[in-house]
Amino acid sequence: MTGNDLINTTALPPGLREARTMARRAKAYHMLRPYPYVSFQTWKEEDRGPLPICRPFVRNIVQKAADWLFLKPVHFKVEEDKAMTDLVNKTWSDNCMGSRSIEAALLGGLSGSVDLKWSTPEQDKVSIEILDPTEQTRLYYDQQDQTKLLMARIQVCVFDFSQKKGVWKREDWTDQYWVTYEPQTCSVAEGGSPYAKCDEADKAVFIIKDKVKNPFGIIPVWRIRN
């Protein structure tokens, strides 16, 4: 199987649902509001009193790790290649990654990894996007070679101001093609996140809007594991 065979698939990468469940649990604890979402669903306040309070040390564990990694500025060095060193550090700086990297580290601590996607909106500029690996991306690896990425799917919910509603935007990337889809309506549970209903989008029939040659020749997504 090649990455092109996976374009417009409705199948999810193995283990994604389990990873998503664990990540959502970690995020609930990080917000210090895990109950009764994670535990104590059968708790009866009339019998046992108020729900237990989640102590902040669970948040501090992840926050301290992120601060330790990126609270001080990061400088990259490519051995014996000053031009590439300057380019990498300029790209990092231009994307304000000095402050955004703490956000990425927090996400990595809660979701187990973080996905970075790069693009070139302008000829001389590289843009870096931070994505949630359990909600916004689906990475399909070769089942016999887990180092080989066959296809990357980006699926995010954005607010369309012209239509005054949330829509799912999806794109698939292989080494050969960049595929975009017609947007789908993004339904949101009352008081909840649109990603709580991402299973609906995963099972929906998306219509291919455009399929063009991948201008980079490689998939512009990289997973950084915690």
Side-chain angles (χ1 to χ4, degrees):
M1 177 175 286
T2 68
N4 296 334
D5 298 322
L6 291 165
I7 290 173
N8 207 15
T9 181
T10 56
L12 292 178
L16 176 61
R17 285 195 175 94
E18 293 78 8
R20 181 183 291 157
T21 299
M22 293 293 290
R24 288 179 177 177
R25 181 178 300 172
K27 291 169 187 173
Y29 274 101
H30 191 72
M31 296 298 292
L32 305 183
R33 298 186 65 183
Y35 315 126
Y37 172 72
V38 173
S39 301
F40 305 131
Q41 289 95 341
T42 59
W43 186 283
K44 293 183 179 180
E45 292 192 359
E46 59 270 24
D47 294 336
R48 307 181 69 179
L51 281 165
I53 296 174
C54 183
R55 299 299 181 183
F57 74 87
V58 293
R59 172 187 288 172
N60 295 341
I61 292 171
V62 180
Q63 184 68 59
K64 285 183 178 180
D67 290 346
W68 180 82
L69 282 170
F70 293 115
L71 204 56
K72 294 181 179 180
V74 175
H75 179 79
F76 298 92
K77 182 178 180 180
V78 181
E79 292 293 342
E80 300 180 358
D81 195 333
K82 184 179 184 303
M84 182 60 70
T85 295
D86 292 342
L87 177 61
V88 170
N89 284 293
K90 182 178 185 303
T91 300
W92 185 264
S93 176
D94 288 348
N95 281 273
C96 301
M97 292 299 291
S99 57
R100 295 174 68 210
S101 54
I102 293 182
E103 168 199 345
L106 286 173
L107 178 58
L110 297 171
S111 295
S113 59
V114 64
D115 291 338
L116 298 185
K117 175 181 179 290
W118 56 270
S119 58
T120 51
E122 300 174 22
Q123 190 172 7
D124 59 344
K125 183 179 180 181
V126 176
S127 177
I128 301 174
E129 188 175 356
I130 300 170
L131 297 167
D132 188 326
T134 61
E135 305 287 0
Q136 298 174 315
T137 61
R138 291 108 177 93
L139 301 191
Y140 297 81
Y141 290 92
D142 187 327
Q143 295 297 291
Q144 295 180 314
D145 182 1
Q146 287 295 310
T147 65
K148 184 179 180 181
L149 180 61
L150 298 178
M151 189 189 82
R153 170 168 294 166
I154 314 298
Q155 186 169 287
V156 298
C157 183
V158 300
F159 188 77
D160 188 319
F161 289 94
S162 62
Q163 299 185 49
K164 297 181 180 178
K165 65 179 182 180
V167 296
W168 289 108
K169 288 201 168 183
R170 174 189 283 187
E171 56 183 314
D172 289 347
W173 287 89
T174 70
D175 288 340
Q176 290 183 290
Y177 295 108
W178 172 27
V179 181
T180 56
Y181 296 83
E182 297 288 350
Q184 291 262 9
T185 298
C186 180
S187 58
V188 182
E190 185 176 352
S193 164
Y195 293 100
K197 294 200 171 186
C198 64
D199 279 340
E200 294 181 6
D202 286 330
K203 296 174 184 177
V205 178
F206 278 77
I207 299 173
I208 292 178
K209 180 181 179 180
D210 205 4
K211 182 178 180 181
V212 299
K213 183 179 179 181
N214 182 343
F216 307 118
I218 59 171
I219 299 172
V221 179
W222 191 260
R223 174 156 293 174
I224 303 173
R225 302 189 185 278
N226 184 17

